[in-house]
Amino acid sequence: DGHGMVMSIRDIGKLKWNDAKAACDELILNGYNDWHLPSKEECVLIVKNPSIFKLGIQRDYYWSSTVSYNYDAWAFSLERYDLERKQKDYSQFVRAVRTY
């Protein structure tokens, strides 16, 4: 229907939450500058795609943009298919997405 979501083909790295959010917001890739840290709901959509592991996804936690509490945000494990609150000052993997 002309709408969808794409994910960058490489991780940005392993960053603290504030740095991860900024890195995604500032990313310019393939001529696009509208990348963002995926929401908790977008993370669920990402893992439902069976080809995701062909893109070099780490079998570890990735940050989502969804905040849980002042010091926590949701992170998603692509190996365990679960969400867990992590302290924002922990470093987790980061992968940007964009919607169209």
Side-chain angles (χ1 to χ4, degrees), residues 13-82:
K14 202 168 183 179
L15 304 169
K16 295 178 182 180
W17 187 84
N18 287 326
D19 296 334
K21 188 160 177 14
C24 290
D25 290 345
E26 295 169 5
L27 182 64
I28 298 172
L29 182 63
N30 297 331
Y32 296 100
N33 64 355
D34 58 348
W35 297 92
H36 63 272
L37 190 61
S39 69
K40 183 169 72 168
E41 293 78 15
E42 288 171 325
C43 289
V44 171
L45 293 173
I46 289 168
V47 82
K48 286 184 178 181
N49 182 343
S51 64
I52 199 72
F53 294 104
K54 295 178 183 177
L55 295 174
I57 296 293
Q58 302 295 324
R59 296 185 182 267
D60 201 347
Y61 283 94
Y62 280 80
W63 279 126
S64 83
S65 63
T66 307
V67 174
S68 176
Y69 296 106
N70 288 339
Y71 301 102
D72 295 339
W74 289 99
F76 193 84
S77 169
L78 296 170
E79 180 178 30
R80 297 181 190 151
Y81 304 104
D82 73 307

